[in-house]
Each structure stands twice: as structure tokens, then as C-alpha cells.
Amino acid sequence: MAIHNNIASIARSDPVTTIAVSIVILLGLLFVALKEFFKPIGLRSTRSKPPGPRGLPIFGHLLEIRKQQNDPDSKWLRSLAQYGEMATVHLGSKTWIFLNSQRVVSEIIAKRGGATNGRSPMPISSGIVSRHGRSLLLPPSGWTERRRVMHHLLSGSALKQYGEWQELESTQMLAEYLKQPHRWYRHHYRYANSVVHRIALGERLVKSSKDLEDLQNVVTFFVGSIGRSTIDWFPDLDRLPRFMQFWRPYWERLGNWNEGIYRSWWEPVKQQIEDGTAPASFVRDVLLNKDTKYTGSDQDAMYVAMQLIEAGSDTTREALNIFIMASLYYPRAFKKARSEIDRVCGSNAKRLPVLADMDDLSYICAMVKETLRWRPIFQLTPDHCVTSDFDFEGYHFSAGTGFVINEVVVCNECEDPEDFKPERWLDGHEQDAAHGLLAVRWRLFINIARLVYCFDYTAMGPIDSRILNHHSTDEPFPVKVTIRSTAHEKLILEEATRLGVLQFAECRM
């Protein structure tokens, strides 16, 4: 009552002050209302959660997570390890639980996948940019059908065929290295794209350098869109009337461009299938085969095929770049790897390594694993969203909470984590892709083995092993590539000629 009387007294004596006070009160009420409306999922329950840093009201730690994207030391991500194996972080209206150890990753992501296989809504990157077509960002209802048809890629006969294609395409990559060593980083992408292109669409890659650059840019812009817009962190804003969504035109232009690039790859293959002239492929024999009964639309099918190509291409390219960087910084490991291959294939360029040599090249297998551990390709991946409430080790996680693997911290869960030491993987499980790492791509094996065997690398300027500049079509760091010997040059030319790929390597100059 006293407060009311004081306000009335002020109103009579000073109207300007009254207006100012009223505005302050209204702004305060608006702030409280917004804070309540956008309250992170993890704060909507009072039950216990893992500790974590305090953030700003409403925005939480959005500023920190955006700054860390340009921090080669990943200081903010590393700082989360101080809270233990799990750290709770609020980001806009989302709550993420950062998993900081391999143990909790296994317990929560692997063993409790039935409850943590969702995705939080991302109206921009998943909706507008991806047309709800990239399964990476979709909830179970969106990717179940896509995953069903993708399982056909894992049959025994298919995997054998893929291995033969890998050896052929890697031989062309060696010839490209020989003919144009200064474009080494482009050869990595051409190789990776060609293998997965043949698996998905049935033909060897005959696209121009511009086509490849466009597809690589599709990946770069898509990855860059994840979490870039505030709308992805406050997805309820997507419910506003369309005329109020001032952000849509920019993202729709990006989505239209993305779809246009996809269609330039997709339509010719689809036409061949309709004409009955298409070679065997995942698209012809599974995705668009009537017996498979894929239930998605034509656009859905296009995104299934094209995301297979873009994902398989880009991760392999980046991993090979990391391997080159490690070779420059840790020449001892490179020499040890070469010594192992020389024992198997002969130091005098007797023959190229093949996939069948894997059991005899344990150090190369260990180098593949260490490459992926030393510099994780993705510091963060989309969250694994809780689809139903569950408890774990005294903590309660409500539906909608996201679990995120803190790759930087998890991959540093070893002695001397900044050192590149393939020896740490020499544990009798070198050839087991699933042992010790979340994912290992054995497409790296054949290329790392052959590059170590045939080429030498020298830094041609200042380099920093923390800065890889992946997200660019330019050279990621300055390197001079030289052939090991005239005997190795002759071996490459002979193998490329025998397999009929030398002409393709020469015409790409």
C-alpha cells in the first residue's frame, strides 16, 4: 500500500518520471516473461543435474560456444572438464550435457541409445537450409526410413566391391599427386568423392573441378549454418507468423542454392534409371528400386543419396589433411610407418600396399586411429536429444535435454594428448575399427599406406598444427610434395596404366 501511495505521489508531481518508471517496470516484466518463456529445458525441473558453469540470463553460454569455433585451443570446451565427466550448459532455451569421458559416452550414447537417439529442433539448419532432408539433424521419426535403406550398403558383397573401388581410386590419386603435386589437397577430395559417388550413383566421377568445389561448398555452408542462427537456439521463435520471420529470406536463398547443386547431380542419374541405362548402384538397386519400397518422396531420396556423397567425401578429405599435418610435425612416426610398409612391399617399390595387407601393417592401422584422435574432425556434433525422462548415476534428465560428445576432451583422455603417437593404439586391436574410437574409416588405411610409401612432405612456410583451415577449397597449409624415388614414380605410372586411370589423372591437370 505504501509503495502504491509513493508511485501515486510521484505521478502527481512529475509525469516524466512516471513515464520512465512505467517503462522500466514494463521492461522488467517483459524480461521476466521472456526469461520464463525461453527457460532452458534443464531448468524446468528442480531435480539434480551435473554441475556446470553459470551463464547469462536467457542466452546462457551462446557467446562462449560461438567464440570457441574460432579458438584453435578450444579453451572453453576444455574448461568444461573441470566439472567432471559431465557438465551442464544452457544455450538459449536448450540444455546440453557435455560428455567429457569415453565412459559416459559409452554408457549414455551407446548403451542407452533408445532414450537418447533424438535431435533437438533446428528450424534453420535442419529446416530451411536442409529441407528436413539431412538425417544427421532429424529426430527418429525422420531418419528411421532413411536408415533402413542405408543398411543395404553394409552387405558383404557390397563391402568387397567398395574395397576394389578404393584401391582403383587411390591409384588415380597417386597419379594425380605425381602429375600435379601442388594440388594435393584437391586430390584428397576427388578421391573421397569418387569412391562414394560410385557407390551411391553407380559411375566413376566425371564431374569438373567446379562441380566438386560447389559440392564441397555445400558442405561448408551447411556445417556453418548449424547453430549460427539464434533461431536454432530458440526454436519456439519459428512459431511466429511468417511475415514476422525477417531472417527467412537469407536462409531460404542458401537452401535453394543447396538444393540446386544437389539436383544437378541427382537428375542425370534419375533419368538414366528411368531410361534403363543406369549402372548398378545404391540409388538404382535400393533407393529407387520398387522392391525396396522406399516410402520417401523424390526430394527425400535425393537428400539420402547426396548426403551420403557429401558426408563420405568431406570427412575423408579432412582426415587425410590431418595426416599430412601430423607427418610434418612428427616425422619420426612417418619414418616408422614407412619402415613397416617397406618390410611388406619392398623399399625398392616392388608393389603398392593393398587392403589385404592390413593385418601386416599394424602401425599404419594405429596411425589411422591416431589421426582421428589427435585432431578431431568435428569438435562438436549435433546433440543426442533425450526422448523420454531417465535417471543416470543420481542425475535426472528430462525429455528434450541434449547430450553432446565433447570430442576435444574425450580424445585427450590419454597420456601426452598433444603428441601424435600411433604407438598408443598398438594393443592387439589395431585392425578393429570399433575398438577405442567412436568411428574409424578404413578408407583412410589404403591412402595413408600408399602416400607414406610413395611421397615425401616438406613444410613450405609457417604452419600451426592446431590450424588446419579445412573449411576452404584453398590449400589448408603450405606443403611441398615430392615423389620418393624414380622407382616409385615408375610403379605408380605402371599401376595407373594397368587399371586404366592414368588418362583421368592427366586430363584433370
Side-chain angles (χ1 to χ4, degrees):
M1 190 65 174
I3 295 176
H4 180 273
N5 291 335
N6 288 336
I7 293 176
S9 175
I10 292 173
R12 288 191 298 270
S13 62
D14 190 350
V16 175
T17 302
T18 300
I19 294 173
V21 170
S22 298
I23 291 174
V24 170
I25 292 173
L26 288 173
L27 289 175
L29 291 174
L30 178 61
F31 176 79
V32 172
L34 288 174
K35 185 177 179 182
E36 186 64 26
F37 182 77
F38 291 122
K39 180 179 289 186
I41 290 172
L43 293 178
R44 298 174 191 176
S45 169
T46 58
R47 299 181 65 178
S48 178
K49 300 168 194 64
R54 292 178 61 85
L56 296 173
I58 299 180
F59 293 98
H61 286 275
L62 282 183
L63 295 179
E64 284 83 354
I65 201 168
R66 286 178 173 175
K67 287 179 182 178
Q68 73 83 31
Q69 294 176 354
N70 298 316
D71 178 11
D73 294 316
S74 302
K75 290 188 287 291
W76 185 74
L77 289 178
R78 293 175 189 274
S79 72
L80 298 179
Q82 66 182 294
Y83 299 100
E85 291 185 275
M86 295 183 287
T88 300
V89 175
H90 302 298
L91 300 160
S93 61
K94 298 184 178 183
T95 295
W96 278 7
I97 310 298
F98 283 75
L99 304 180
N100 297 325
S101 76
Q102 183 66 53
R103 185 188 75 84
V104 293
V105 169
S106 176
E107 289 290 334
I108 292 176
I109 303 301
K111 296 181 181 179
R112 291 168 175 78
T116 61
N117 62 0
R119 287 284 190 264
S120 62
M122 305 193 83
I124 301 299
S125 52
S126 181
I128 300 177
V129 174
S130 301
R131 304 289 196 265
H132 300 290
R134 286 184 169 97
S135 56
L136 174 69
L137 301 179
L138 293 177
S141 60
W143 55 248
T144 301
E145 173 66 2
R146 293 171 170 84
R147 180 173 291 184
R148 180 183 70 82
V149 294
M150 295 285 277
H151 280 170
H152 289 267
L153 293 169
L154 302 178
S155 67
S157 59
L159 292 175
K160 182 178 183 297
Q161 181 65 71
Y162 303 159
E164 294 173 2
W165 289 342
Q166 287 177 45
E167 291 182 350
L168 183 145
E169 296 295 347
S170 69
T171 302
Q172 179 173 329
M173 186 184 77
L174 295 179
E176 290 167 344
Y177 251 79
L178 196 61
K179 298 294 183 178
Q180 249 186 336
H182 64 284
R183 287 172 56 86
W184 57 274
Y185 54 98
R186 298 299 302 165
H187 306 326
H188 291 172
Y189 186 69
R190 200 284 318 164
Y191 158 81
N193 193 286
S194 190
V195 171
V196 74
H197 181 277
R198 193 166 185 179
I199 293 170
L201 304 183
E203 294 182 323
R204 294 202 69 224
L205 186 67
V206 292
K207 295 287 187 179
S208 68
S209 297
K210 177 63 166 57
D211 291 328
L212 287 173
E213 186 173 325
D214 284 342
L215 190 63
Q216 184 176 334
N217 281 331
V218 164
V219 180
T220 298
F221 290 131
F222 160 63
V223 172
S225 75
I226 300 176
R228 178 181 166 189
S229 171
T230 302
I231 311 304
D232 274 348
W233 300 108
F234 297 95
D236 286 330
L237 292 174
D238 192 51
R239 301 177 185 177
L240 290 173
R242 185 63 62 91
F243 74 88
M244 296 179 65
Q245 297 186 22
F246 60 87
W247 56 84
R248 291 191 71 90
Y250 171 82
W251 296 110
E252 285 176 343
R253 286 194 296 271
L254 181 57
N256 291 337
W257 173 79
N258 186 155
E259 184 173 352
I261 299 297
Y262 271 14
R263 290 212 171 273
S264 69
W265 290 62
W266 172 254
E267 293 294 348
V269 174
K270 183 183 173 185
Q271 187 62 52
Q272 284 184 322
I273 293 173
E274 293 174 353
D275 295 342
T277 60
S281 70
F282 167 70
V283 170
R284 190 198 74 173
D285 301 328
V286 179
L287 199 58
L288 299 185
N289 190 298
K290 295 180 180 178
D291 295 334
T292 308
K293 297 180 180 178
Y294 175 66
T295 61
S297 66
D298 175 70
Q299 179 166 293
D300 290 338
M302 177 180 72
Y303 273 84
V304 169
M306 292 308 300
Q307 72 176 355
L308 172 65
I309 292 174
E310 70 178 17
S313 303
D314 218 51
T315 52
T316 299
R317 170 187 71 88
E318 293 187 17
L320 288 173
N321 290 351
I322 294 170
F323 154 71
I324 301 300
M325 177 65 83
S327 299
L328 296 173
Y329 257 75
Y330 295 90
R332 184 194 64 80
F334 183 88
K335 292 177 182 177
K336 189 169 182 178
R338 175 172 284 179
S339 177
E340 180 183 66
I341 300 173
D342 283 351
R343 288 197 299 271
V344 174
C345 298
S347 59
N348 58 346
K350 182 179 179 181
R351 66 173 178 86
L352 291 175
V354 295
L355 288 171
D357 293 323
M358 189 177 292
D359 288 342
D360 297 321
L361 295 175
S362 295
Y363 194 82
I364 295 295
C365 292
M367 181 174 275
V368 170
K369 288 188 173 185
E370 183 68 351
T371 295
L372 296 174
R373 182 212 66 83
W374 183 58
R375 294 289 184 265
I377 293 173
F378 301 110
Q379 294 183 345
L380 295 174
T381 53
D383 59 327
H384 294 254
C385 195
V386 177
T387 55
S388 57
D389 293 8
F390 77 96
D391 297 315
F392 174 73
E393 297 186 353
Y395 296 117
H396 177 77
F397 301 106
S398 306
T401 302
F403 287 102
V404 179
I405 302 171
N406 193 345
E407 295 277 2
V408 174
V409 174
V410 171
C411 287
N412 281 357
E413 200 176 21
C414 58
E415 292 184 4
D416 304 317
E418 283 301 311
D419 292 342
F420 185 84
K421 290 183 177 180
E423 291 83 0
R424 71 176 85 245
W425 299 101
L426 295 176
D427 55 5
H429 300 281
E430 297 86 5
Q431 290 79 16
D432 183 355
H435 185 82
L437 280 180
L438 298 176
V440 171
R441 296 167 178 84
W442 286 128
R443 279 202 290 161
L444 297 176
F445 168 84
I446 190 66
N447 291 290
I448 287 179
R450 289 181 168 191
L451 291 175
V452 168
Y453 189 54
C454 296
F455 292 95
D456 292 312
Y457 300 92
T458 306
M460 293 300 290
I463 58 174
D464 186 334
S465 71
R466 305 166 303 162
I467 303 174
L468 294 165
N469 190 27
H470 283 320
H471 305 300
S472 169
T473 55
D474 299 327
E475 186 177 42
F477 41 86
V479 176
K480 180 181 180 181
V481 180
T482 54
I483 187 68
R484 180 181 177 184
S485 71
T486 55
H488 289 84
E489 179 179 0
K490 180 181 177 183
L491 174 62
I492 292 172
L493 293 174
E494 288 177 348
E495 280 298 295
T497 301
R498 182 180 69 83
L499 294 175
V501 297
L502 182 59
Q503 59 181 323
F504 297 107
E506 291 175 332
C507 75
R508 294 188 62 82
M509 294 181 63

